[in-house]
Amino acid sequence: MGSTWSIRRKNAALQERIAQDGLLIAEQPPGTEPRARHFPYRNRIIAGLSLGTVVVEAAPKSGSLITARLAAELGREVMAVPGSPLDPRAQGCNGLIRDGATLVQSAADVLETVRPIDQRMVRTSRDGFRAPPPEDASDAERRDVRDLLGPVPVAIDELIRQSGHSPAIVQTVLLELELAGRLERHAGGRVALV
């Protein structure tokens, strides 16, 4: 109990500063002692508030994989950094990629996958660089992507590869189909026509 109390006391000032300047979200009432069984609730909040989840290292039964599963169930992008098949800490990431998560090798891969869907979300950096606006798909690109879809779930990475279009174009078409109620998202970053 002593170490838990000192951790809470040590972080109390940080928590108060975040509450004043930002936002605190929790499923447990204030003052609830942190317990391992509460972490999946936290992971669900993280997955729900994020455009995507990037898993860098994950053992086969890690909390990161819980977050990735929840993100996929919520229709968020799931990305993973590959690792050596001999490293147990890479088994989770490699499994996610095998099951359809987007392979990430750099920050640019993440930015390409989770482009802002609303220009109000684009921030201008100190040097004035502004990310380009999201690409709009042409009728031919829409048709190309739709023709690759069917009732059997397919990985988004596979759609990108087979269509030959950029991830932004494929994601745009998928979003349009989803908003029209014609697309269903499945675990592992897979999609199918309804």
Side-chain angles (χ1 to χ4, degrees):
M1 177 69 180
S3 65
T4 302
W5 172 248
S6 65
I7 291 170
R8 271 195 269 159
R9 190 176 52 217
K10 182 174 134 185
N11 292 323
L14 174 61
Q15 180 177 337
E16 184 60 32
R17 196 172 90 226
I18 292 170
Q20 293 297 318
D21 299 337
L23 176 67
L24 290 175
I25 298 176
E27 290 208 12
Q28 306 302 320
T32 301
E33 185 175 334
R35 298 194 182 276
R37 70 174 183 257
H38 296 154
F39 295 164
Y41 299 122
R42 176 205 60 193
N43 294 2
R44 186 171 63 87
I45 292 171
I46 292 168
L49 291 174
S50 304
L51 291 174
T53 297
V54 180
V55 181
V56 177
E57 273 188 358
K61 296 197 181 285
S62 74
S64 299
L65 295 181
I66 293 172
T67 306
R69 178 182 51 80
L70 293 166
E73 289 173 2
L74 293 169
R76 304 304 193 262
E77 291 297 328
V78 177
M79 298 159 273
V81 177
S84 167
L86 304 176
D87 185 351
R89 296 169 302 176
Q91 288 179 356
C93 290
N94 293 344
L96 287 172
I97 294 167
R98 181 194 63 225
D99 293 340
T102 301
L103 184 142
V104 170
Q105 295 178 321
S106 69
D109 294 339
V110 175
L111 293 174
E112 184 177 7
T113 301
V114 292
R115 286 170 126 9
I117 57 174
D118 183 332
Q119 284 304 299
R120 291 174 293 183
M121 296 168 60
V122 175
R123 293 190 180 176
T124 305
S125 67
R126 287 188 299 266
D127 62 3
F129 172 78
R130 188 170 170 91
E135 298 177 54
D136 190 26
S138 69
D139 290 339
E141 291 167 328
R142 287 183 180 92
R143 192 170 34 258
D144 290 346
V145 175
R146 268 196 316 261
D147 289 349
L148 294 171
L149 292 167
V152 177
V154 62
I156 295 173
D157 281 350
E158 188 64 19
L159 291 173
I160 294 167
R161 188 184 67 73
Q162 288 184 11
S163 71
H165 299 306
S166 72
I169 289 292
V170 172
Q171 293 288 3
T172 298
V173 174
L174 295 177
L175 179 61
E176 290 171 352
L177 289 169
E178 186 174 18
L179 292 174
R182 298 181 51 209
L183 184 85
E184 187 174 32
R185 294 192 182 262
H186 296 270
R190 297 175 302 137
V191 293
L193 287 180
V194 177

PDB file of all heavy atoms in Angstrom, residues 140-150 152-167 169-170 191:
ATOM      1  N   ALA A 140     -13.252   6.351 -61.350  1.00  0.00           N
ATOM      2  CA  ALA A 140     -12.521   5.137 -61.752  1.00  0.00           C
ATOM      3  C   ALA A 140     -11.851   4.496 -60.536  1.00  0.00           C
ATOM      4  O   ALA A 140     -11.868   3.270 -60.391  1.00  0.00           O
ATOM      5  CB  ALA A 140     -11.479   5.474 -62.816  1.00  0.00           C
ATOM      6  N   GLU A 141     -11.270   5.313 -59.652  1.00  0.00           N
ATOM      7  CA  GLU A 141     -10.633   4.775 -58.448  1.00  0.00           C
ATOM      8  C   GLU A 141     -11.672   4.143 -57.525  1.00  0.00           C
ATOM      9  O   GLU A 141     -11.438   3.071 -56.956  1.00  0.00           O
ATOM     10  CB  GLU A 141      -9.860   5.882 -57.725  1.00  0.00           C
ATOM     11  CG  GLU A 141      -8.639   6.348 -58.508  1.00  0.00           C
ATOM     12  CD  GLU A 141      -8.049   7.641 -57.979  1.00  0.00           C
ATOM     13  OE1 GLU A 141      -8.802   8.501 -57.461  1.00  0.00           O
ATOM     14  OE2 GLU A 141      -6.815   7.815 -58.099  1.00  0.00           O
ATOM     15  N   ARG A 142     -12.825   4.799 -57.398  1.00  0.00           N
ATOM     16  CA  ARG A 142     -13.908   4.214 -56.589  1.00  0.00           C
ATOM     17  C   ARG A 142     -14.313   2.857 -57.138  1.00  0.00           C
ATOM     18  O   ARG A 142     -14.492   1.902 -56.394  1.00  0.00           O
ATOM     19  CB  ARG A 142     -15.111   5.154 -56.567  1.00  0.00           C
ATOM     20  CG  ARG A 142     -14.939   6.381 -55.720  1.00  0.00           C
ATOM     21  CD  ARG A 142     -16.224   7.224 -55.703  1.00  0.00           C
ATOM     22  NE  ARG A 142     -16.036   8.402 -54.883  1.00  0.00           N
ATOM     23  CZ  ARG A 142     -15.628   9.576 -55.350  1.00  0.00           C
ATOM     24  NH1 ARG A 142     -15.372   9.742 -56.637  1.00  0.00           N
ATOM     25  NH2 ARG A 142     -15.483  10.593 -54.528  1.00  0.00           N
ATOM     26  N   ARG A 143     -14.459   2.774 -58.434  1.00  0.00           N
ATOM     27  CA  ARG A 143     -14.864   1.521 -59.085  1.00  0.00           C
ATOM     28  C   ARG A 143     -13.803   0.439 -58.876  1.00  0.00           C
ATOM     29  O   ARG A 143     -14.125  -0.706 -58.566  1.00  0.00           O
ATOM     30  CB  ARG A 143     -15.112   1.770 -60.573  1.00  0.00           C
ATOM     31  CG  ARG A 143     -15.794   0.659 -61.304  1.00  0.00           C
ATOM     32  CD  ARG A 143     -16.236   1.036 -62.727  1.00  0.00           C
ATOM     33  NE  ARG A 143     -15.355   1.965 -63.440  1.00  0.00           N
ATOM     34  CZ  ARG A 143     -15.599   3.271 -63.601  1.00  0.00           C
ATOM     35  NH1 ARG A 143     -16.710   3.809 -63.134  1.00  0.00           N
ATOM     36  NH2 ARG A 143     -14.746   4.041 -64.261  1.00  0.00           N
ATOM     37  N   ASP A 144     -12.519   0.814 -59.017  1.00  0.00           N
ATOM     38  CA  ASP A 144     -11.429  -0.148 -58.825  1.00  0.00           C
ATOM     39  C   ASP A 144     -11.484  -0.781 -57.437  1.00  0.00           C
ATOM     40  O   ASP A 144     -11.351  -1.993 -57.295  1.00  0.00           O
ATOM     41  CB  ASP A 144     -10.063   0.533 -59.006  1.00  0.00           C
ATOM     42  CG  ASP A 144      -9.770   0.935 -60.443  1.00  0.00           C
ATOM     43  OD1 ASP A 144     -10.487   0.466 -61.354  1.00  0.00           O
ATOM     44  OD2 ASP A 144      -8.830   1.729 -60.637  1.00  0.00           O
ATOM     45  N   VAL A 145     -11.674   0.054 -56.426  1.00  0.00           N
ATOM     46  CA  VAL A 145     -11.692  -0.452 -55.053  1.00  0.00           C
ATOM     47  C   VAL A 145     -12.958  -1.270 -54.809  1.00  0.00           C
ATOM     48  O   VAL A 145     -12.900  -2.370 -54.260  1.00  0.00           O
ATOM     49  CB  VAL A 145     -11.569   0.702 -54.027  1.00  0.00           C
ATOM     50  CG1 VAL A 145     -11.723   0.183 -52.602  1.00  0.00           C
ATOM     51  CG2 VAL A 145     -10.233   1.422 -54.186  1.00  0.00           C
ATOM     52  N   ARG A 146     -14.107  -0.764 -55.245  1.00  0.00           N
ATOM     53  CA  ARG A 146     -15.373  -1.497 -55.056  1.00  0.00           C
ATOM     54  C   ARG A 146     -15.328  -2.866 -55.713  1.00  0.00           C
ATOM     55  O   ARG A 146     -15.839  -3.843 -55.169  1.00  0.00           O
ATOM     56  CB  ARG A 146     -16.542  -0.686 -55.620  1.00  0.00           C
ATOM     57  CG  ARG A 146     -17.204   0.212 -54.618  1.00  0.00           C
ATOM     58  CD  ARG A 146     -18.559   0.692 -55.088  1.00  0.00           C
ATOM     59  NE  ARG A 146     -18.579   1.114 -56.482  1.00  0.00           N
ATOM     60  CZ  ARG A 146     -18.511   2.366 -56.905  1.00  0.00           C
ATOM     61  NH1 ARG A 146     -18.408   3.346 -56.041  1.00  0.00           N
ATOM     62  NH2 ARG A 146     -18.547   2.647 -58.180  1.00  0.00           N
ATOM     63  N   ASP A 147     -14.713  -2.950 -56.876  1.00  0.00           N
ATOM     64  CA  ASP A 147     -14.644  -4.228 -57.595  1.00  0.00           C
ATOM     65  C   ASP A 147     -13.817  -5.272 -56.850  1.00  0.00           C
ATOM     66  O   ASP A 147     -13.956  -6.470 -57.107  1.00  0.00           O
ATOM     67  CB  ASP A 147     -14.071  -4.021 -59.003  1.00  0.00           C
ATOM     68  CG  ASP A 147     -15.050  -3.303 -59.930  1.00  0.00           C
ATOM     69  OD1 ASP A 147     -16.238  -3.155 -59.550  1.00  0.00           O
ATOM     70  OD2 ASP A 147     -14.609  -2.872 -61.018  1.00  0.00           O
ATOM     71  N   LEU A 148     -12.944  -4.838 -55.957  1.00  0.00           N
ATOM     72  CA  LEU A 148     -12.120  -5.774 -55.183  1.00  0.00           C
ATOM     73  C   LEU A 148     -12.822  -6.244 -53.905  1.00  0.00           C
ATOM     74  O   LEU A 148     -12.330  -7.126 -53.214  1.00  0.00           O
ATOM     75  CB  LEU A 148     -10.788  -5.119 -54.811  1.00  0.00           C
ATOM     76  CG  LEU A 148      -9.858  -4.802 -55.988  1.00  0.00           C
ATOM     77  CD1 LEU A 148      -8.679  -3.954 -55.512  1.00  0.00           C
ATOM     78  CD2 LEU A 148      -9.370  -6.090 -56.630  1.00  0.00           C
ATOM     79  N   LEU A 149     -13.959  -5.634 -53.593  1.00  0.00           N
ATOM     80  CA  LEU A 149     -14.686  -5.972 -52.374  1.00  0.00           C
ATOM     81  C   LEU A 149     -15.790  -6.979 -52.651  1.00  0.00           C
ATOM     82  O   LEU A 149     -16.350  -7.026 -53.740  1.00  0.00           O
ATOM     83  CB  LEU A 149     -15.299  -4.707 -51.759  1.00  0.00           C
ATOM     84  CG  LEU A 149     -14.311  -3.704 -51.191  1.00  0.00           C
ATOM     85  CD1 LEU A 149     -14.998  -2.380 -50.922  1.00  0.00           C
ATOM     86  CD2 LEU A 149     -13.677  -4.245 -49.931  1.00  0.00           C
ATOM     87  N   GLY A 150     -16.103  -7.755 -51.652  1.00  0.00           N
ATOM     88  CA  GLY A 150     -17.185  -8.729 -51.732  1.00  0.00           C
ATOM     89  C   GLY A 150     -17.662  -9.053 -50.336  1.00  0.00           C
ATOM     90  O   GLY A 150     -17.319  -8.372 -49.368  1.00  0.00           O
ATOM     91  N   VAL A 152     -16.765 -11.530 -48.474  1.00  0.00           N
ATOM     92  CA  VAL A 152     -15.693 -12.117 -47.653  1.00  0.00           C
ATOM     93  C   VAL A 152     -14.733 -11.001 -47.241  1.00  0.00           C
ATOM     94  O   VAL A 152     -14.242 -10.264 -48.097  1.00  0.00           O
ATOM     95  CB  VAL A 152     -14.943 -13.215 -48.450  1.00  0.00           C
ATOM     96  CG1 VAL A 152     -13.785 -13.759 -47.627  1.00  0.00           C
ATOM     97  CG2 VAL A 152     -15.894 -14.326 -48.857  1.00  0.00           C
ATOM     98  N   PRO A 153     -14.452 -10.857 -45.930  1.00  0.00           N
ATOM     99  CA  PRO A 153     -13.552  -9.787 -45.477  1.00  0.00           C
ATOM    100  C   PRO A 153     -12.163  -9.895 -46.107  1.00  0.00           C
ATOM    101  O   PRO A 153     -11.613 -10.976 -46.254  1.00  0.00           O
ATOM    102  CB  PRO A 153     -13.465 -10.021 -43.958  1.00  0.00           C
ATOM    103  CG  PRO A 153     -14.703 -10.769 -43.615  1.00  0.00           C
ATOM    104  CD  PRO A 153     -14.997 -11.640 -44.803  1.00  0.00           C
ATOM    105  N   VAL A 154     -11.643  -8.744 -46.508  1.00  0.00           N
ATOM    106  CA  VAL A 154     -10.315  -8.656 -47.117  1.00  0.00           C
ATOM    107  C   VAL A 154      -9.527  -7.575 -46.382  1.00  0.00           C
ATOM    108  O   VAL A 154     -10.104  -6.570 -45.938  1.00  0.00           O
ATOM    109  CB  VAL A 154     -10.416  -8.357 -48.636  1.00  0.00           C
ATOM    110  CG1 VAL A 154     -11.083  -7.028 -48.902  1.00  0.00           C
ATOM    111  CG2 VAL A 154      -9.055  -8.411 -49.293  1.00  0.00           C
ATOM    112  N   ALA A 155      -8.229  -7.773 -46.238  1.00  0.00           N
ATOM    113  CA  ALA A 155      -7.374  -6.804 -45.548  1.00  0.00           C
ATOM    114  C   ALA A 155      -7.248  -5.524 -46.367  1.00  0.00           C
ATOM    115  O   ALA A 155      -7.136  -5.570 -47.597  1.00  0.00           O
ATOM    116  CB  ALA A 155      -5.989  -7.408 -45.298  1.00  0.00           C
ATOM    117  N   ILE A 156      -7.257  -4.408 -45.686  1.00  0.00           N
ATOM    118  CA  ILE A 156      -7.135  -3.110 -46.364  1.00  0.00           C
ATOM    119  C   ILE A 156      -5.804  -3.026 -47.093  1.00  0.00           C
ATOM    120  O   ILE A 156      -5.728  -2.511 -48.208  1.00  0.00           O
ATOM    121  CB  ILE A 156      -7.319  -1.957 -45.366  1.00  0.00           C
ATOM    122  CG1 ILE A 156      -8.754  -1.979 -44.816  1.00  0.00           C
ATOM    123  CG2 ILE A 156      -7.011  -0.612 -46.014  1.00  0.00           C
ATOM    124  CD1 ILE A 156      -9.021  -0.997 -43.695  1.00  0.00           C
ATOM    125  N   ASP A 157      -4.740  -3.556 -46.493  1.00  0.00           N
ATOM    126  CA  ASP A 157      -3.436  -3.560 -47.174  1.00  0.00           C
ATOM    127  C   ASP A 157      -3.513  -4.303 -48.501  1.00  0.00           C
ATOM    128  O   ASP A 157      -2.879  -3.909 -49.483  1.00  0.00           O
ATOM    129  CB  ASP A 157      -2.365  -4.214 -46.299  1.00  0.00           C
ATOM    130  CG  ASP A 157      -1.851  -3.288 -45.216  1.00  0.00           C
ATOM    131  OD1 ASP A 157      -2.178  -2.090 -45.264  1.00  0.00           O
ATOM    132  OD2 ASP A 157      -1.120  -3.764 -44.339  1.00  0.00           O
ATOM    133  N   GLU A 158      -4.290  -5.369 -48.534  1.00  0.00           N
ATOM    134  CA  GLU A 158      -4.454  -6.138 -49.775  1.00  0.00           C
ATOM    135  C   GLU A 158      -5.208  -5.316 -50.818  1.00  0.00           C
ATOM    136  O   GLU A 158      -4.886  -5.353 -52.005  1.00  0.00           O
ATOM    137  CB  GLU A 158      -5.182  -7.455 -49.474  1.00  0.00           C
ATOM    138  CG  GLU A 158      -5.240  -8.412 -50.638  1.00  0.00           C
ATOM    139  CD  GLU A 158      -3.872  -8.906 -51.095  1.00  0.00           C
ATOM    140  OE1 GLU A 158      -2.890  -8.820 -50.344  1.00  0.00           O
ATOM    141  OE2 GLU A 158      -3.784  -9.370 -52.238  1.00  0.00           O
ATOM    142  N   LEU A 159      -6.209  -4.556 -50.395  1.00  0.00           N
ATOM    143  CA  LEU A 159      -6.932  -3.676 -51.321  1.00  0.00           C
ATOM    144  C   LEU A 159      -5.989  -2.630 -51.912  1.00  0.00           C
ATOM    145  O   LEU A 159      -6.056  -2.325 -53.110  1.00  0.00           O
ATOM    146  CB  LEU A 159      -8.090  -2.978 -50.605  1.00  0.00           C
ATOM    147  CG  LEU A 159      -9.260  -3.838 -50.170  1.00  0.00           C
ATOM    148  CD1 LEU A 159     -10.235  -3.016 -49.332  1.00  0.00           C
ATOM    149  CD2 LEU A 159      -9.974  -4.420 -51.383  1.00  0.00           C
ATOM    150  N   ILE A 160      -5.130  -2.089 -51.076  1.00  0.00           N
ATOM    151  CA  ILE A 160      -4.169  -1.088 -51.552  1.00  0.00           C
ATOM    152  C   ILE A 160      -3.236  -1.712 -52.575  1.00  0.00           C
ATOM    153  O   ILE A 160      -2.995  -1.160 -53.646  1.00  0.00           O
ATOM    154  CB  ILE A 160      -3.388  -0.488 -50.358  1.00  0.00           C
ATOM    155  CG1 ILE A 160      -4.335   0.316 -49.465  1.00  0.00           C
ATOM    156  CG2 ILE A 160      -2.224   0.375 -50.843  1.00  0.00           C
ATOM    157  CD1 ILE A 160      -3.763   0.685 -48.110  1.00  0.00           C
ATOM    158  N   ARG A 161      -2.732  -2.896 -52.242  1.00  0.00           N
ATOM    159  CA  ARG A 161      -1.793  -3.577 -53.147  1.00  0.00           C
ATOM    160  C   ARG A 161      -2.467  -3.927 -54.468  1.00  0.00           C
ATOM    161  O   ARG A 161      -1.939  -3.649 -55.540  1.00  0.00           O
ATOM    162  CB  ARG A 161      -1.247  -4.836 -52.482  1.00  0.00           C
ATOM    163  CG  ARG A 161      -0.114  -5.502 -53.260  1.00  0.00           C
ATOM    164  CD  ARG A 161       0.330  -6.798 -52.625  1.00  0.00           C
ATOM    165  NE  ARG A 161      -0.677  -7.845 -52.675  1.00  0.00           N
ATOM    166  CZ  ARG A 161      -1.031  -8.515 -53.783  1.00  0.00           C
ATOM    167  NH1 ARG A 161      -0.473  -8.226 -54.925  1.00  0.00           N
ATOM    168  NH2 ARG A 161      -1.944  -9.449 -53.744  1.00  0.00           N
ATOM    169  N   GLN A 162      -3.648  -4.529 -54.414  1.00  0.00           N
ATOM    170  CA  GLN A 162      -4.316  -4.975 -55.639  1.00  0.00           C
ATOM    171  C   GLN A 162      -4.836  -3.823 -56.491  1.00  0.00           C
ATOM    172  O   GLN A 162      -4.814  -3.900 -57.720  1.00  0.00           O
ATOM    173  CB  GLN A 162      -5.475  -5.918 -55.304  1.00  0.00           C
ATOM    174  CG  GLN A 162      -5.018  -7.278 -54.837  1.00  0.00           C
ATOM    175  CD  GLN A 162      -6.194  -8.223 -54.611  1.00  0.00           C
ATOM    176  OE1 GLN A 162      -7.330  -7.934 -54.980  1.00  0.00           O
ATOM    177  NE2 GLN A 162      -5.913  -9.363 -54.004  1.00  0.00           N
ATOM    178  N   SER A 163      -5.303  -2.762 -55.846  1.00  0.00           N
ATOM    179  CA  SER A 163      -5.846  -1.642 -56.620  1.00  0.00           C
ATOM    180  C   SER A 163      -4.744  -0.794 -57.243  1.00  0.00           C
ATOM    181  O   SER A 163      -4.951  -0.168 -58.279  1.00  0.00           O
ATOM    182  CB  SER A 163      -6.729  -0.759 -55.737  1.00  0.00           C
ATOM    183  OG  SER A 163      -5.945  -0.032 -54.805  1.00  0.00           O
ATOM    184  N   GLY A 164      -3.578  -0.757 -56.588  1.00  0.00           N
ATOM    185  CA  GLY A 164      -2.498   0.088 -57.077  1.00  0.00           C
ATOM    186  C   GLY A 164      -2.692   1.552 -56.728  1.00  0.00           C
ATOM    187  O   GLY A 164      -1.923   2.410 -57.165  1.00  0.00           O
ATOM    188  N   HIS A 165      -3.700   1.847 -55.912  1.00  0.00           N
ATOM    189  CA  HIS A 165      -3.966   3.235 -55.508  1.00  0.00           C
ATOM    190  C   HIS A 165      -3.328   3.515 -54.151  1.00  0.00           C
ATOM    191  O   HIS A 165      -3.002   2.599 -53.398  1.00  0.00           O
ATOM    192  CB  HIS A 165      -5.470   3.503 -55.458  1.00  0.00           C
ATOM    193  CG  HIS A 165      -6.149   3.328 -56.783  1.00  0.00           C
ATOM    194  ND1 HIS A 165      -5.740   3.988 -57.929  1.00  0.00           N
ATOM    195  CD2 HIS A 165      -7.193   2.549 -57.176  1.00  0.00           C
ATOM    196  CE1 HIS A 165      -6.504   3.637 -58.951  1.00  0.00           C
ATOM    197  NE2 HIS A 165      -7.386   2.756 -58.519  1.00  0.00           N
ATOM    198  N   SER A 166      -3.180   4.781 -53.845  1.00  0.00           N
ATOM    199  CA  SER A 166      -2.557   5.176 -52.582  1.00  0.00           C
ATOM    200  C   SER A 166      -3.451   4.767 -51.412  1.00  0.00           C
ATOM    201  O   SER A 166      -4.673   4.645 -51.563  1.00  0.00           O
ATOM    202  CB  SER A 166      -2.337   6.689 -52.546  1.00  0.00           C
ATOM    203  OG  SER A 166      -3.585   7.351 -52.402  1.00  0.00           O
ATOM    204  N   PRO A 167      -2.848   4.582 -50.222  1.00  0.00           N
ATOM    205  CA  PRO A 167      -3.661   4.277 -49.047  1.00  0.00           C
ATOM    206  C   PRO A 167      -4.726   5.338 -48.782  1.00  0.00           C
ATOM    207  O   PRO A 167      -5.840   5.016 -48.370  1.00  0.00           O
ATOM    208  CB  PRO A 167      -2.637   4.226 -47.904  1.00  0.00           C
ATOM    209  CG  PRO A 167      -1.361   3.844 -48.575  1.00  0.00           C
ATOM    210  CD  PRO A 167      -1.413   4.497 -49.926  1.00  0.00           C
ATOM    211  N   ILE A 169      -6.387   7.159 -50.991  1.00  0.00           N
ATOM    212  CA  ILE A 169      -7.516   6.967 -51.915  1.00  0.00           C
ATOM    213  C   ILE A 169      -8.359   5.781 -51.469  1.00  0.00           C
ATOM    214  O   ILE A 169      -9.593   5.868 -51.404  1.00  0.00           O
ATOM    215  CB  ILE A 169      -7.010   6.761 -53.364  1.00  0.00           C
ATOM    216  CG1 ILE A 169      -6.457   8.070 -53.922  1.00  0.00           C
ATOM    217  CG2 ILE A 169      -8.100   6.202 -54.268  1.00  0.00           C
ATOM    218  CD1 ILE A 169      -7.497   9.151 -54.144  1.00  0.00           C
ATOM    219  N   VAL A 170      -7.707   4.661 -51.150  1.00  0.00           N
ATOM    220  CA  VAL A 170      -8.445   3.467 -50.731  1.00  0.00           C
ATOM    221  C   VAL A 170      -9.235   3.765 -49.459  1.00  0.00           C
ATOM    222  O   VAL A 170     -10.415   3.418 -49.354  1.00  0.00           O
ATOM    223  CB  VAL A 170      -7.494   2.266 -50.545  1.00  0.00           C
ATOM    224  CG1 VAL A 170      -8.221   1.078 -49.924  1.00  0.00           C
ATOM    225  CG2 VAL A 170      -6.866   1.876 -51.882  1.00  0.00           C
ATOM    226  N   VAL A 191     -12.205  -5.580 -44.285  1.00  0.00           N
ATOM    227  CA  VAL A 191     -13.498  -4.986 -44.634  1.00  0.00           C
ATOM    228  C   VAL A 191     -14.226  -5.884 -45.626  1.00  0.00           C
ATOM    229  O   VAL A 191     -13.610  -6.685 -46.337  1.00  0.00           O
ATOM    230  CB  VAL A 191     -13.317  -3.583 -45.246  1.00  0.00           C
ATOM    231  CG1 VAL A 191     -12.794  -2.599 -44.222  1.00  0.00           C
ATOM    232  CG2 VAL A 191     -12.400  -3.626 -46.460  1.00  0.00           C
TER     233      VAL A 191
END
